[in-house]
Amino acid sequence: MMQKPKTHIFVCTSSRVGGPQKGFCHSKGGVEIMATLLEEIEDRGLSGQVTVTNTGCFGICEKGPVVVVYPDNVWYGAVTVDDVEEIVDEHIQGGKVVGRLVL
Amino acid sequence: MMQKPKTHIFVCTSSRVGGPQKGFCHSKGGVEIMATLLEEIEDRGLSGQVTVTNTGCFGICEKGPVVVVYPDNVWYGAVTVDDVEEIVDEHIQGGKVVGRLVL
């Protein structure tokens, strides 16, 4: 069996199946959130344990930008680039969900 | 707290952050797998419990097309459109992982 990531973080970048990404999370910084998250994970040497994946729409655009953490099953909303460090510090490394962002 | 999906299925369609989707899973039917999965979920009236989301690369392209089921944390590889009905029947509805496709 393959080595699964300990934590898998999904970031909505409004990727569409039929064409280029377009939508709420994309317009509100989804791509920058994704890039910042990847950078924080790499900087801390967590790439082997944490996978970050961009996604299409989660269907809750009014709550975006959306970041979902599995298998923890924690859904964050209205995430900004400035929240990324706290999510990594508190949740991914500290094991404590960032309550103020939870949906 | 929001109502979370009972099952969340992620399908790699090789969506890229910097442009249109392109890559192994996309070239091997990722979009068709996604569409068929959505259809099967809707046909069975499971849309309220099961969310299907398209994604970018999982980094294991040689094992694609990749379908990941959370929070079950089950990873399927080399998935074809013909496998979708079995995944929905056996795993999503039956609760039994489709062993022959597990990575």
Side-chain angles (χ1 to χ4, degrees):
Chain A
M1 188 185 286
M2 65 169 279
Q3 178 73 31
K4 295 174 189 173
K6 183 169 169 284
T7 305
H8 200 156
I9 310 174
F10 294 90
V11 180
C12 180
T13 56
S14 313
S15 296
R16 297 198 175 194
V17 168
Q21 54 201 355
K22 184 181 164 190
F24 188 87
C25 293
H26 182 252
S27 72
K28 296 289 184 185
V31 172
E32 293 75 14
I33 292 165
M34 172 87 185
T36 308
L37 194 47
L38 277 172
E39 205 170 54
E40 292 289 340
I41 296 298
E42 279 168 24
D43 279 353
R44 295 158 201 236
L46 298 172
S47 303
Q49 310 158 48
V50 180
T51 295
V52 182
T53 304
N54 59 303
T55 76
C57 186
F58 285 113
I60 48 170
C61 307
E62 74 284 1
K63 298 192 166 80
V66 177
V67 172
V68 183
V69 183
Y70 277 116
D72 309 21
N73 204 357
V74 172
W75 293 58
Y76 291 122
V79 175
T80 69
V81 168
D82 293 338
D83 296 323
V84 170
E85 199 171 344
E86 185 177 350
I87 291 173
V88 177
D89 281 342
E90 297 293 315
H91 182 164
I92 309 306
Q93 294 203 285
K96 210 182 120 202
V97 170
V98 181
R100 68 181 179 84
L101 297 172
V102 168
L103 291 177
Chain B
M1 189 183 287
M2 65 171 280
Q3 178 72 31
K4 296 174 189 174
K6 184 170 168 282
T7 305
H8 200 156
I9 310 175
F10 294 91
V11 180
C12 181
T13 56
S14 313
S15 296
R16 297 197 175 196
V17 168
Q21 55 200 354
K22 183 182 166 192
F24 188 88
C25 292
H26 182 252
S27 71
K28 295 290 184 185
V31 172
E32 293 77 14
I33 292 165
M34 172 88 187
T36 308
L37 194 47
L38 277 171
E39 206 170 53
E40 292 289 339
I41 295 299
E42 279 167 23
D43 279 354
R44 295 158 200 236
L46 297 173
S47 303
Q49 309 159 49
V50 181
T51 295
V52 182
T53 305
N54 60 302
T55 77
C57 186
F58 286 114
I60 47 170
C61 307
E62 75 284 0
K63 299 191 166 78
V66 177
V67 172
V68 183
V69 183
Y70 278 116
D72 309 24
N73 204 356
V74 172
W75 293 58
Y76 291 123
V79 175
T80 69
V81 167
D82 293 339
D83 296 323
V84 169
E85 199 170 346
E86 186 177 348
I87 291 173
V88 177
D89 281 342
E90 297 292 318
H91 182 167
I92 309 306
Q93 294 204 285
K96 212 182 117 201
V97 170
V98 181
R100 67 180 181 84
L101 297 172
V102 168
L103 291 177

